[in-house]
Structures are given as C-alpha cells and as structure tokens.
Amino acid sequence: QVQLVESGGGLVQPGGSLRLSCAASGIRLSIYTVDWYRQAPGNGRELVASIRSGGSTNSVDSVKGRFTISRDNAKNTVYLQMNSLKVEDTAVYYCHTQTWKDYWGQGTQVTVSS
C-alpha cells in the first residue's frame, strides 16, 4: 500500500523558514516525479515545485529563489525547503506522485503570520 506522509508544517513569522518532508512507503519515489502542491483557503490546488527522477527541478515563479525541492533517495523522502516566507505562502501543502494512478499525502498546514 502506497503512503505519502508530509510533515514539517507550522506557524512561522514572515521572513522565516520551514522545511517540509514527504516520506513514502510502498513506492520508490526516486523513479517518479514528485510534486509539492499547496491550497490556500478559497483557492484551488496550485503546483509549487516538482523534482523528476533524474533530479531536475522546476518551481512556480512566485517561489523561485525562495523554495528549493530536493530528494534523499536513501530515505525515500522529498523535501521542500522554504525560505523568506511570506503571508501569501499560507496554505496546506501536499505531496503528490503519479504511477498508473495519483497518490497524495494528507497535507501539512503552513501558516505565515506575525
């Protein structure tokens, strides 16, 4: 059974940092593209960043230079390092991957507020 479990969210002040983790079981993340999405209240789910099996990455313009996606294949975990956080980064963050079906984690809340 495939499971994705996010962790690392919390409350942080503007300008602060958080590192989100997506730990997988039942699937080897290293051979798939893994994405981080986020969903703010009243908004749809937005793709934030992706990392491909070869290690190449891309991210949405609003987080470029602030967020970094990476993976630790030995730990079967993908990370999202978030620096210089802004109030508008407040959202539930989800990990996602796709084989012949879509897999999502349960989400982790990130709140940026003074």
Side-chain angles (χ1 to χ4, degrees):
Q1 183 179 356
V2 175
Q3 274 195 313
L4 302 178
V5 179
E6 300 99 334
S7 61
L11 173 63
V12 64
Q13 291 186 340
S17 297
L18 286 173
R19 188 178 79 156
L20 306 184
S21 299
C22 171
S25 58
I27 187 172
R28 190 153 56 104
L29 287 183
S30 62
I31 64 174
Y32 298 104
T33 295
V34 180
D35 313 296
W36 282 100
Y37 282 77
R38 65 185 178 187
Q39 186 166 19
N43 291 356
R45 202 166 284 191
E46 172 192 33
L47 178 62
V48 175
S50 301
I51 184 165
R52 296 174 187 79
S53 57
S56 62
T57 64
N58 61 273
S59 58
V60 67
D61 284 348
S62 61
V63 307
K64 274 186 167 66
R66 301 189 297 122
F67 291 10
T68 303
I69 188 170
S70 63
R71 68 199 317 159
D72 184 332
N73 292 336
K75 294 183 177 180
N76 206 24
T77 299
V78 171
Y79 303 99
L80 186 68
Q81 177 66 45
M82 306 187 297
N83 300 328
S84 302
L85 281 160
K86 304 177 180 180
V87 171
E88 52 263 41
D89 295 319
T90 296
V92 179
Y93 284 71
Y94 297 91
C95 179
H96 166 265
T97 193
Q98 184 180 43
T99 59
W100 59 277
K101 61 178 290 187
D102 285 301
Y103 295 101
W104 294 90
Q106 82 288 352
T108 185
Q109 176 70 48
V110 171
T111 302
V112 185
S113 174
S114 55

